[in-house]
Amino acid sequence: MKFIKSLISRYKGLALPAKASMWFIICSVLQRGISFFTVPIFTRLMTTEQYGMYSTYLSWYSILIVFTSLNLFYGVFNNAMIKFENRRDEYISSMQGLVTVITFGVFVVYLLFRDKCNSLLGMSTPLVLLLFIELLFTPALQFWTVHNRFDFKYRKIVFVTLAKSLANPILGIVFVLNSEQKDLARILSTVLVEVIVCGTIAIYQFYKGKRFYNKEFWKYAVMFNIPLIPHYLSGTILNQGDRVMINQLCGSAAVAFYSVAYNLGQLMNIFTSAITSSFTPWIYQKIRKNDFASIPRVTNMLFVIMAGLVSLLMLFAPEILYIIASPEYSEAVYVIPPIAGSMFFVLLYNTISNVEFYYEVRIYVTIGSIASACLNVGLNWIFIRKFGYYAAGYTTLFCYIIYGLSHLIFSKIVARKNLGKVKIFDSKMIMLLSLYVIAVSLTVNYLYDYTAIRYLCVIAIAAVMIWKRKYVMAEIGAIVKKK
């Protein structure tokens, strides 16, 4: 009881930004957890072709939203909340108007070239129509969420996000069980939830702002975000382009296998997101105060933890895949190691790039994103046709290696220009851990037939992590306390 009372007391003593940050992390973990733990249900209710089509739909949504919304809820939005502080509601309302105009414009282009577009997307007209409905409504929720995050109003965000996250799979199960076209039913249930939630928020924000068009706001937003579109699009292609190309080259069943493996490999994203949200404010404070001594030690600890967790996920991949998917997905286990390994380099990028963002040197971010995305598309085109969908996992790993390590170089250039010879990150340790993760990603597949050896490796890694647990918790506590 004393321990619980102590936790409650500490929580009450936290500043509002710290409370908000904590709840945003909890919300993100629960949201991803709900999404992940419903995968076993849908992979058993739907055929591989149907689940693959649903995954393809989600991938195209992630790509097209960049064009129809210009990602106006990123980049420019926080700046606008400060620049137009006394006209925030009007700004949000006009941004919804801008997204509506752009979405209808893209839809008209689709209608003019419908057959060619359907062939490119690999989807039927009903699915594409549902896609455009979702593209039209979902930005409203994004604007609302970022606005409330900006004002640290975490209770509303947590309630709406979790309610939507629960309603989506529950309605999806009901629709799928009562339909023969289960891919269409699953997509329809998703769109219906989005329309109800996001549509309600859109009406509310139009009512508050009472502005569909504002020349000043539209011009400011477009001029700010257009240069960032290559970066946003490249990042999306790097995350989602694999499934689109697999659908074109191998079919929707292969997309299903790859998607299940990808979702499992991305379990590490929960850890990555939580660490990034806490670490970014901490490192900004350190740079602002010219206090660099502890940064290499803390980042090394984070990278070691991530390398250990990634290794455990790779070693346990057959067992986890058995739990979350039916036996017909068993061949997808060989895609999990490279995808899981990629998550180490995602954390590396998220950590290292803080230096570039702090000093507002965005050109390197754009160059890295575009180069990695183009490389990914080119390698996929060559190797998926030759080796099947398995190749996409290894091309993803290779591109994220380039992405992460290139930013290690970029951050050094930025640091040298602004700080001289100050050492912010431990390059040697980062390279050693990178080589370790690459080696495990490429060799662990050969251990899947040797369960005893895999379990011995798991015990060894777990023992080291338990041995160092007090040190790790002390460092993480220091970061959270100083946020």
Side-chain angles (χ1 to χ4, degrees), residues 460-472:
I461 295 172
V464 172
M465 296 181 77
I466 293 171
W467 177 39
K468 291 289 186 179
R469 70 187 186 282
K470 290 184 179 179
Y471 169 76
V472 170

Side-chain angles (χ1 to χ4, degrees), residues 87-195:
R87 305 166 68 190
R88 289 177 180 175
D89 291 333
E90 185 182 347
Y91 178 83
I92 294 170
S93 178
S94 69
M95 288 302 100
Q96 289 186 169
L98 177 56
V99 169
T100 301
V101 170
I102 297 172
T103 303
F104 272 106
V106 176
F107 181 63
V108 170
V109 174
Y110 164 73
L111 292 177
L112 294 174
F113 305 98
R114 187 180 64 179
D115 293 336
K116 290 183 179 180
C117 289
N118 286 352
S119 177
L120 173 65
L121 299 174
M123 296 190 296
S124 63
T125 298
L127 292 184
V128 179
L129 293 177
L130 288 173
L131 177 60
F132 272 100
I133 292 173
E134 189 171 3
L135 290 169
L136 179 64
F137 282 96
T138 51
L141 177 60
Q142 296 284 2
F143 289 126
W144 179 83
T145 300
V146 180
H147 184 200
N148 281 280
R149 275 179 179 267
F150 193 87
D151 292 333
F152 303 112
K153 296 178 180 178
Y154 57 89
R155 291 185 179 88
K156 294 179 181 179
I157 296 176
V158 171
F159 175 77
V160 172
T161 301
L162 293 184
K164 189 168 78 72
S165 298
L166 287 169
N168 191 318
I170 291 172
L171 192 64
I173 292 169
V174 173
F175 275 41
V176 168
L177 285 172
N178 291 279
S179 174
E180 293 183 1
Q181 289 183 277
K182 298 184 185 301
D183 50 353
L184 177 60
R186 180 68 185 102
I187 293 168
L188 181 60
S189 66
T190 299
V191 174
L192 185 58
V193 171
E194 297 291 344
V195 169

Side-chain angles (χ1 to χ4, degrees), residues 4 15 24-25 55 100 118 126 146 155 171 217 298 322 340 422 476:
I4 296 175
F24 292 151
I25 293 172
S55 299
T100 301
N118 286 352
V146 180
R155 291 185 179 88
L171 192 64
F217 293 159
V298 173
Y322 178 80
V422 172
I476 292 175

Side-chain angles (χ1 to χ4, degrees), residues 181-479:
Q181 289 183 277
K182 298 184 185 301
D183 50 353
L184 177 60
R186 180 68 185 102
I187 293 168
L188 181 60
S189 66
T190 299
V191 174
L192 185 58
V193 171
E194 297 291 344
V195 169
I196 293 173
V197 176
C198 303
T200 302
I201 290 173
I203 293 170
Y204 168 74
Q205 291 181 151
F206 272 131
Y207 173 77
K208 284 195 71 178
K210 296 180 175 60
R211 179 73 66 173
F212 187 90
Y213 169 75
N214 182 296
K215 182 179 179 180
E216 179 188 7
F217 293 159
W218 282 27
K219 182 179 179 181
Y220 173 75
V222 170
M223 295 300 292
F224 189 103
N225 256 37
I226 284 292
L228 292 172
I229 293 302
H231 166 62
Y232 293 136
L233 184 60
S234 298
T236 303
I237 290 174
L238 197 55
N239 287 325
Q240 305 291 340
D242 294 342
R243 276 163 277 197
V244 171
M245 296 189 72
I246 290 170
N247 187 54
Q248 292 288 339
L249 299 173
C250 304
S252 57
V255 177
F257 293 135
Y258 183 80
S259 295
V260 169
Y262 196 90
N263 288 334
L264 202 162
Q266 282 211 317
L267 265 175
M268 291 298 98
N269 245 343
I270 296 175
F271 174 79
T272 302
S273 299
I275 287 297
T276 300
S277 63
S278 295
F279 181 78
T280 299
W282 180 83
I283 196 172
Y284 269 48
Q285 289 177 12
K286 291 293 183 180
I287 296 174
R288 187 182 300 115
K289 296 176 181 177
N290 291 321
D291 180 10
F292 306 106
S294 60
I295 294 179
R297 185 185 74 251
V298 173
T299 52
N300 284 349
M301 178 197 67
L302 295 178
F303 295 144
V304 168
I305 293 173
M306 188 63 172
L309 291 174
V310 164
S311 300
L312 290 175
L313 177 58
M314 295 181 196
L315 291 165
F316 271 130
E319 287 79 8
I320 300 175
L321 185 62
Y322 178 80
I323 294 172
I324 71 165
S326 57
E328 62 185 318
Y329 286 88
S330 60
E331 66 180 64
V333 72
Y334 299 105
V335 184
I336 294 171
I339 297 300
S342 301
M343 295 302 102
F344 173 85
F345 294 97
V346 171
L347 178 64
L348 177 60
Y349 159 73
N350 287 339
T351 304
I352 297 293
S353 62
N354 281 310
V355 176
E356 299 163 55
F357 281 109
Y358 180 86
Y359 290 106
E360 299 183 357
V361 184
R362 288 175 288 186
I363 183 64
Y364 294 130
V365 176
T366 302
I367 291 173
S369 299
I370 294 174
S372 299
C374 291
L375 183 62
N376 185 249
V377 171
L379 292 175
N380 280 339
W381 181 255
I382 296 170
F383 291 106
I384 290 176
R385 291 195 297 175
K386 191 171 184 179
F387 299 106
Y389 74 89
Y390 296 103
Y394 293 93
T395 59
T396 297
L397 173 61
F398 180 75
C399 291
Y400 273 118
I401 291 170
I402 300 298
Y403 194 44
L405 295 182
S406 65
H407 280 283
L408 179 59
I409 298 172
F410 295 151
S411 69
K412 280 189 172 184
I413 295 172
V414 174
R416 191 178 299 118
K417 182 178 179 181
N418 291 277
L419 302 169
K421 295 182 179 180
V422 172
K423 181 182 177 182
I424 298 183
F425 302 108
D426 186 349
S427 299
K428 290 183 180 179
M429 186 64 172
I430 290 172
M431 292 304 298
L432 286 172
L433 288 172
S434 298
L435 290 172
Y436 165 78
V437 171
I438 293 169
V440 176
S441 301
L442 296 177
T443 59
V444 73
N445 281 335
Y446 298 104
L447 297 179
Y448 286 156
D449 294 329
Y450 304 97
T451 304
I453 297 176
R454 283 195 294 116
Y455 284 3
L456 284 174
C457 293
V458 168
I459 291 171
I461 295 172
V464 172
M465 296 181 77
I466 293 171
W467 177 39
K468 291 289 186 179
R469 70 187 186 282
K470 290 184 179 179
Y471 169 76
V472 170
M473 294 306 296
E475 292 290 351
I476 292 175
I479 293 174

Side-chain angles (χ1 to χ4, degrees), residues 72-83 146-147 149-150 220:
L72 293 172
F73 31 78
Y74 297 139
V76 68
F77 194 86
N78 285 332
N79 293 57
M81 291 297 95
I82 297 173
K83 185 179 179 67
V146 180
H147 184 200
R149 275 179 179 267
F150 193 87
Y220 173 75

